[in-house]
Amino acid sequence: MKYRALALFGSLVLGAGLTACSSSDDSADGAGGGRTALDVWLMRDSVSAEFQKQFETGFEKAHPEIDLKIQIQEWDGIGEKVTAALASNDAPDVIEVGNTQVAQYAQSGGLTDFSDKVAELGGDAWLKGLAEPGAWEGKQYGIPYYAANRVVIYRTDLFQKAGVDAAKIKTREQWTAATRKLDKGGTQGIYLPGQNWYTLSGFVWDEGGDLAVESAGKWKGGLDSPEALRAMAFYQGLQALGKGPKDSDEAQPPQAEVMAKGQIAQIIAVPGGAKVVEEKNPALKGKLGFFPIPGKTDAQPGAVFTGGSDLVVPAVAAHQEQAYTFLKELTGDAWQKKLAVAMSYVPNKVTLAGAVSADPGTAAMAAGAVNGHATPNTPQWAAVEAKNPVKEYMTAVLTGRDAKSEAAKASATITSTLNSGS
């Protein structure tokens, strides 16, 4: 998620670049010495040039029979490009895709099934928010690569002035009490835009609900469930402890820029937002801290939407064995630790969270990632986001309309959209 800012992963042409992925420069042709040319597509900002060079050197040293060819792809237009590659006879061997995009590619039958490799790859420790959307109809096609999720970014000076100890905020009840205490004297307790639906989703999951549920092959919107209505009530109360707009999201205006301008005690964002705040207002450098979004109890952090990427192998890829070798290396513990530190990502396994303990923002993100979730695992979910009845519902409730009736309308739209392709 460019941290892919977790608005994240929304941008899913065919162009001259497609033929450049050809695997025909193979074996003794071009690679020399009988080496196999392995073509890999990684996305822009997935890895730095420095990390890429380090990995390529280490990988080829460990596997001298493979000539690794990594190509960096742009997010804009990648959906069409991947779809075309999967349907061609000239696909790359490995492709990075957004975790919530795996279902749409798997549905076409264009991906290699790695269900029999899950145990060997350490799948019992994978982050659920990467592993679950990487599966389709009971088979594992996407191998978790890296993750990012929202945390609370807070002003340490405002917390100190209000006598609030962030380290003691573990539950929603404690969070609300602290935020109410901060929301005084010209300070906003929290800046929470009315259409921050990813944050609302976390509260829905905390309550035991979901945005949509599947039964007997049919989907039904879940915003009108008792659990989701409780989540909206909590969101409404929290949102009122600041002056966030009720009719826009965190990108309009950019919430980090808003925090930089005023006395705002907290925002909910990926940790990279703190860098934006400091860039816009250098006086706040060293005055920002992080903690995981609190849960209903102190047993675990609050649920969060997990953004990030999985790695997939096209079914038509020419070098299946070598592609698996690549997956095993890049998603294995050694390189995951290095990637997490280099890129400030959450590694793909809960057992590796300690690798980022020295980075406060990433450490808070990793702590929250253990309760990570993904949007409903169906190719049609992209069509829901295009309409985004969740945002409309949130604004309606926050501006005084009846939550139950508005939730029923939004859920009906979700139901209709998800079942339109069945």
Side-chain angles (χ1 to χ4, degrees):
M1 57 202 231
K2 69 192 179 200
Y3 244 51
R4 300 203 315 266
L6 274 136
L8 257 132
F9 314 104
S11 96
L12 272 179
V13 34
L14 258 177
L18 184 58
T19 57
C21 77
S22 172
S23 299
S24 60
D25 183 23
D26 195 27
S27 298
D29 272 354
R35 299 173 71 202
T36 298
L38 190 73
D39 292 310
V40 175
W41 286 0
L42 296 182
M43 300 309 301
R44 177 71 60 194
D45 299 323
S46 165
V47 293
S48 63
E50 182 180 359
F51 179 85
Q52 180 180 335
K53 183 178 180 181
Q54 182 186 13
F55 177 76
E56 287 174 338
T57 300
F59 180 85
E60 292 188 347
K61 183 177 180 180
H63 305 282
E65 73 283 4
I66 299 175
D67 180 28
L68 184 58
K69 297 179 179 295
I70 294 176
Q71 296 183 44
I72 301 300
Q73 304 293 320
E74 302 296 335
W75 283 102
D76 187 31
I78 191 61
E80 295 89 342
K81 192 170 182 179
V82 172
T83 298
L86 296 180
S88 75
N89 293 317
D90 194 28
D93 298 296
V94 181
I95 304 175
E96 174 191 349
V97 300
N99 58 326
T100 60
Q101 297 168 354
V102 176
Q104 71 184 78
Y105 301 133
Q107 184 185 42
S108 69
L111 301 181
T112 297
D113 175 13
F114 287 105
S115 301
D116 62 339
K117 301 292 187 183
V118 171
E120 185 176 324
L121 292 170
D124 58 338
W126 281 342
L127 295 176
K128 286 175 56 179
L130 293 179
E132 290 182 354
W136 173 249
E137 295 186 337
K139 297 180 179 179
Q140 193 73 39
Y141 296 99
I143 305 305
Y145 179 20
Y146 68 88
N149 50 266
R150 288 168 174 76
V151 299
V152 179
I153 302 175
Y154 72 97
R155 286 271 302 271
T156 56
D157 56 332
L158 296 180
F159 268 55
Q160 184 176 16
K161 183 179 178 181
V164 175
D165 184 356
K168 294 182 179 179
I169 300 175
K170 302 296 183 183
T171 68
R172 275 202 214 161
E173 185 177 359
Q174 294 166 345
W175 189 24
T176 301
T179 303
R180 189 173 289 115
K181 192 173 181 181
L182 289 156
D183 192 42
K184 293 179 180 177
T187 295
Q188 294 185 53
I190 189 169
Y191 179 86
L192 182 58
Q195 295 184 347
N196 192 333
W197 72 278
Y198 281 119
T199 295
L200 172 64
S201 299
F203 300 154
V204 172
W205 293 321
D206 270 338
E207 293 289 348
D210 209 335
L211 302 176
V213 292
E214 185 182 18
S215 177
K218 294 291 184 180
W219 285 88
K220 184 181 184 301
L223 291 176
D224 55 345
S225 70
E227 295 84 1
L229 288 169
R230 288 198 300 268
M232 186 64 222
F234 177 74
Y235 189 100
Q236 188 172 14
L238 187 64
Q239 200 270 342
L241 298 176
K243 298 177 181 178
K246 294 177 171 59
D247 59 353
S248 63
D249 61 22
E250 61 270 36
Q252 299 176 341
Q255 63 176 353
E257 295 183 14
V258 176
M259 188 180 197
K261 292 177 182 177
Q263 293 290 98
I264 293 171
Q266 306 170 84
I267 61 172
I268 299 171
V270 292
K275 296 179 182 178
V276 177
V277 174
E278 292 175 351
E279 288 169 1
K280 296 295 180 180
N281 186 353
L284 294 180
K285 193 171 181 64
K287 295 182 179 179
L288 298 175
F290 312 86
F291 59 86
I293 295 173
K296 286 196 71 176
T297 72
D298 60 5
Q300 66 178 349
V304 290
F305 168 71
T306 301
S309 288
D310 283 8
L311 296 174
V312 299
V313 174
V316 296
H319 309 114
Q320 295 286 325
E321 182 180 343
Q322 292 85 353
Y324 178 68
T325 297
F326 175 89
L327 292 181
K328 194 172 181 181
E329 287 281 3
L330 189 52
T331 67
D333 291 6
W335 284 108
Q336 278 291 302
K337 291 177 183 178
K338 293 175 183 177
L339 177 69
V341 172
M343 302 300 297
S344 296
Y345 290 150
V346 178
N348 64 0
K349 298 185 183 75
V350 295
T351 50
L352 302 179
V356 294
S357 60
D359 181 335
T362 309
M365 193 163 60
V370 300
N371 196 10
H373 297 250
T375 49
N377 194 15
T378 164
Q380 290 298 112
W381 185 256
V384 174
E385 290 197 26
K387 294 181 179 182
N388 220 319
V390 187
K391 286 186 172 185
E392 295 176 8
Y393 157 63
M394 295 173 74
T395 293
V397 175
L398 294 174
T399 53
R401 296 186 186 179
D402 179 67
K404 192 171 183 179
S405 60
E406 292 298 326
K409 286 193 288 187
S411 290
T413 300
I414 292 172
T415 299
S416 174
T417 305
L418 292 183
N419 294 316
S420 63
S422 60

